[in-house]
Amino acid sequence: MDREPTILESFQQQGMSRRSFLKFCAAAASLLALPAARAAELAEKLGAMPRPTVIYLSFQECTGCLESLTRSFSPTIEHLIFDTISLAYNDTLQAAAGEAAEAAREEAMRKAWGKYVLVVDGSIPAPLDGAYCVIGGKSALASVQEVAKGAAAVIAVGTCAAFGGLPMAAPNPTGAVAVQDLIKDKPLINISGCPPIPEIITGTIVYFLTFGVPELDEHRRPKVFYGNTIHDRCYRRPFYDKGLFAKTFDDAGARNGWCLYELGCKGPTTYNSCATMKWNGGTSFPIESGHGCLGCSEPEFWDRGDFYKPLSAGLWHGSIGEDLGIAAVAGAVIGGSAALVARHRQNKTRTETETRKPEGK
């Protein structure tokens, strides 16, 4: 049997030079904030390894996460799929359908057993197995368990897969659960967001292929992307610290870029890279577009009350809401005190996660 071409050879077979491959690796290294030595290691390892097989399963989801993935700018989706990975199964992107599609998945699993990466999109209605989600004659639960058996690792893409998402919202009529509630014997990485930032999806896949499971936070999210709150990097933060808040979405303060905290922005308690990586190739992110953060990358964001009430309502992250309510006496005091509360929680989370042995090590 002929050996599989390496990723570098796949680039070259597409008519691209080694220089193009190194540029791709440099973009990936920059995205992951790797030091120079690690960037060189990434290029060396990616270039020498065969193209890995990725199987992408979709369950209770809206296709928004896959739409996000196809809009990745760096590494680009075409390089990721055609040159870096072999996307063996995805029922939305693939040309095959029906029995041919299922046969392709089974053949890919057989050839790469124990080596392929399983990407799961959407929650699984496990308690009501087969009643709400059936694909190719198999329930969602049976499908994910079958494919996970031969996977080297599992990546849960989107808040629905990572934490249950909107399908899990009370009263949870389908009995939706997260992937991590079902898969306990494989390395698992959560990439939360509704949808996640596309470069976080592609960057995490590239990192895993090169170095293995990255350092994760308490919710199994890559800390390189989820290590800071949106509030920490928000361009409206200086107005927050000065106690300057928009009162409506169209008042003078809103038009002048004042903080959206009083309009319900959940940035102080939401860990994600929206404020730095942004969307559509770095064009913008929701707060820059004039709308407060909904906290969509956090567990149970869908059941934590009104999106347009401030955190001082006490609905988010337990005691932090109460602390913010106490801090919210007036103007600059809100900014200064609430910032200290958010920073204390962040430092506490980092201390707890850093004392644990990183997963996958």
Side-chain angles (χ1 to χ4, degrees):
M1 180 181 294
D2 295 335
R3 70 171 181 83
E4 291 289 326
T6 66
I7 292 175
L8 175 57
E9 289 169 346
S10 296
F11 265 76
Q12 293 171 334
Q13 289 172 4
Q14 297 291 326
M16 301 181 200
S17 65
R18 179 177 175 82
R19 181 181 179 85
S20 297
F21 171 75
L22 293 176
K23 288 176 66 176
F24 168 83
C25 293
S30 176
L31 174 68
L32 296 164
L34 296 177
R38 295 284 275 177
E41 185 181 355
L42 182 145
E44 180 180 354
K45 288 187 174 182
L46 270 186
M49 71 171 56
R51 292 173 63 208
T53 297
V54 174
I55 296 176
Y56 191 116
L57 299 181
S58 300
F59 299 117
Q60 291 191 133
E61 45 81 23
C62 66
T63 314
C65 296
L66 184 59
E67 289 280 351
S68 180
L69 173 61
T70 61
R71 283 156 177 76
S72 175
F73 283 76
S74 177
T76 62
I77 183 63
E78 64 270 19
H79 280 171
L80 184 76
I81 292 177
F82 298 116
D83 301 319
T84 308
I85 68 174
S86 174
L87 186 61
Y89 180 89
N90 179 280
D91 54 11
T92 301
L93 297 179
Q94 66 191 15
E99 293 181 357
E102 295 307 303
R105 176 182 60 79
E106 292 171 2
E107 179 66 6
M109 290 171 57
R110 184 187 65 80
K111 287 184 175 180
W113 189 263
K115 300 178 181 178
Y116 60 79
V117 176
L118 169 60
V119 175
V120 181
D121 181 358
S123 61
I124 296 97
L128 298 171
D129 184 33
Y132 286 95
C133 187
V134 176
I135 302 170
K138 297 178 181 178
S139 70
L141 177 60
S143 294
V144 73
Q145 289 177 333
E146 176 189 5
V147 181
K149 284 181 182 178
V154 180
I155 299 177
V157 168
T159 297
C160 291
F163 307 132
L166 294 179
M168 195 180 186
N172 191 4
T174 68
V177 300
V179 177
Q180 62 186 0
D181 296 326
L182 301 173
I183 308 301
K184 305 290 188 180
D185 59 347
K186 300 286 182 179
L188 188 145
I189 304 169
N190 286 327
I191 305 178
S192 61
C194 192
I197 296 171
E199 286 78 14
I200 292 181
I201 304 174
T202 56
T204 299
I205 293 174
V206 168
Y207 187 97
F208 174 77
L209 295 178
T210 310
F211 303 115
V213 177
E215 185 179 6
L216 305 177
D217 72 0
E218 61 182 337
H219 297 301
R220 297 186 176 183
R221 301 175 298 192
K223 291 181 73 173
V224 66
F225 298 119
Y226 295 93
N228 297 100
T229 66
I230 291 174
H231 179 74
D232 286 330
R233 299 290 183 263
C234 183
Y235 77 102
R236 294 179 188 253
R237 175 65 183 269
F239 295 106
Y240 177 95
D241 292 338
K242 293 177 182 178
L244 298 175
F245 304 99
K247 306 300 181 183
T248 71
F249 284 109
D250 194 37
D251 66 9
R255 291 193 293 272
N256 287 320
W258 289 10
C259 182
L260 303 176
Y261 169 84
E262 292 188 1
L263 296 175
C265 181
K266 305 303 186 292
T269 57
T270 301
Y271 289 77
N272 210 332
S273 300
C274 301
T276 50
M277 296 180 68
K278 303 186 180 181
W279 298 79
N280 298 319
T283 300
S284 182
F285 71 112
I287 294 174
E288 191 171 353
S289 299
H291 196 286
C293 169
L294 300 181
C296 74
S297 59
E298 296 302 307
E300 300 180 356
F301 84 93
W302 52 88
D303 277 337
R304 293 189 181 275
D306 195 330
F307 288 147
Y308 300 103
K309 287 185 178 179
L311 289 165
S312 56
L315 297 170
W316 286 70
H317 294 286
S319 63
I320 189 171
E322 299 168 7
D323 292 340
L324 285 168
I326 295 171
V329 276
V333 176
I334 297 176
S337 300
L340 288 174
V341 172
R343 177 61 65 185
H344 172 74
R345 177 182 181 276
Q346 183 181 33
N347 289 339
K348 180 181 178 182
T349 298
R350 284 178 174 171
T351 300
E352 290 173 348
T353 55
E354 286 171 0
T355 56
R356 298 198 307 265
K357 183 178 179 180
E359 295 188 35
K361 299 293 186 182

